[in-house]
Amino acid sequence: METAGDDEELSGRAFGKGESFVLDFGDHQVGYVSFAADAVGSPPDAPLKLKLVFGEMPCEIGENFAQYDGWLSSSWLQEETLYLDVLPAAVTLPRRYCFRYMKVTVVDASP
């Protein structure tokens, strides 16, 4: 992994379609995730689609969960796909997570 900056540097940066970043929380976290999302530039004409993947080790966030075929139910895999229709948005995920790393991918967004 390559350091992209601290939390203040990342909070001021805009991410577009296809871009991603990984947050390292420094130690293991257990609980509910909340964050804020905002639009940059002209008002968005399409929802923001985000994919979040959570892991306790970096290798876990690099896995393609779509190909998972294990004995454990895939509903336990720690990932979320969100569609944010209105920005800015305050988001609180309904599930409880156990993780150190969180990968955020902007799947698609208004230009």
Side-chain angles (χ1 to χ4, degrees):
M1 286 192 274
E2 181 180 312
T3 301
D6 61 19
D7 57 347
E8 287 184 25
E9 292 170 316
L10 285 177
S11 69
R13 184 168 167 214
F15 293 88
K17 179 179 180 176
E19 293 185 300
S20 66
F21 59 91
V22 175
L23 299 173
D24 179 353
F25 288 84
D27 59 6
H28 288 83
Q29 308 291 314
V30 177
Y32 296 90
V33 175
S34 297
F35 63 92
D38 203 352
V40 176
S42 61
D45 61 358
L48 170 62
K49 182 178 179 182
L50 295 176
K51 181 176 180 182
L52 309 177
V53 179
F54 301 88
E56 296 180 43
M57 297 180 359
C59 62
E60 292 177 282
I61 60 174
E63 292 292 321
N64 182 358
F65 289 158
Q67 304 302 318
Y68 177 76
D69 186 30
W71 61 271
L72 185 67
S73 171
S74 65
S75 63
W76 282 113
L77 299 176
Q78 297 194 116
E79 69 175 344
E80 290 285 341
T81 300
L82 303 172
Y83 297 86
L84 304 179
D85 293 321
V86 179
L87 294 173
V91 179
T92 299
L93 301 181
R95 293 181 66 192
R96 186 171 170 253
Y97 292 94
C98 179
F99 63 98
R100 174 177 172 167
Y101 302 95
M102 180 172 76
K103 181 178 181 181
V104 179
T105 303
V106 178
V107 177
D108 210 346
S110 178

